[in-house]
């Protein structure tokens, strides 16, 4: 993609998301500028710290409204993205947005994580369950030697829990990327 194509893809994503969000209440954020800042910019923060190699597979779990799935699929067109959620209305909504955005590298599947048996190079989870629920349920989906990508609000207690879970599941935290989306934002972190 060149920059002009990306610009139009972001505009289309905001438009399609606002339309779908007005029908289903996928997010409390409804303003176009805040969608760009709080959803799109947050989602693509990963691209600053990790280059996802072409033809790798990414499983995005439990993240409502299609974030980080949609921005990552747009900005990484040669990577395969699958989103898993058990709620039919969310899966149908995100699949509809994928179709309207003409994304060929993303799909949503309706399933409980515990029932899904495919393995992936990367698992992403943005602003979802505490790590004590997230890691045990999704660990089996990760190919050996690859990455969990956890988008979290920074919290010392949750980080401590993550360190303990890493020992239990023989995982290693290789990156802790702290950032803020704007000047007065809460501190966020992406763990690899």
């Amino acid at each position: 993609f060149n920059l002009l194509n990306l610009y139009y893809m972001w505009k289309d994503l905001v438009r399609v998301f606002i339309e779908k969000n007005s029908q289903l209440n996928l997010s409390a954020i409804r303003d176009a500028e805040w969608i760009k800042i709080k959803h799109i910019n947050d989602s693509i923060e990963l691209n600053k710290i990790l280059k996802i190699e072409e033809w790798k597979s990414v499983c995005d779990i439990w993240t409502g409204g299609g974030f980080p799935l949609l921005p990552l699929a747009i900005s990484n067109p040669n990577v395969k993205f699958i989103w898993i959620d058990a709620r039919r209305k969310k899966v149908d909504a995100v699949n509809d947005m994928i179709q309207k955005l003409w994304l060929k590298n993303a799909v949503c599947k309706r399933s409980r994580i515990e029932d899904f048996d495919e393995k992936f190079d990367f698992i992403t989870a943005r602003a979802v369950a505490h790590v004590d629920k997230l890691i045990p349920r999704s660990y089996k989906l990760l190919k050996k030697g690859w990455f969990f990508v956890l988008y979290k609000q920074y919290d010392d207690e949750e980080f401590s829990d993550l360190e303990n879970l890493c020992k239990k599941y023989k995982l290693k935290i290789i990156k802790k990327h702290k950032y803020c989306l704007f000047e007065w934002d809460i501190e966020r972190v992406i763990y690899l």
Side-chain angles (χ1 to χ4, degrees), residues 63-74:
T63 50
F67 298 100
L69 172 84
L70 297 171
L72 288 176
I74 289 169

Side-chain angles (χ1 to χ4, degrees), residues 19 63-64 70 88-89 95 97 107 145 149 153-154 159:
E19 175 187 308
T63 50
L70 297 171
R88 180 182 305 277
K89 79 172 191 173
N95 272 327
M97 288 188 281
V107 67
V149 178
Q153 178 176 325
Y154 188 77
F159 180 68

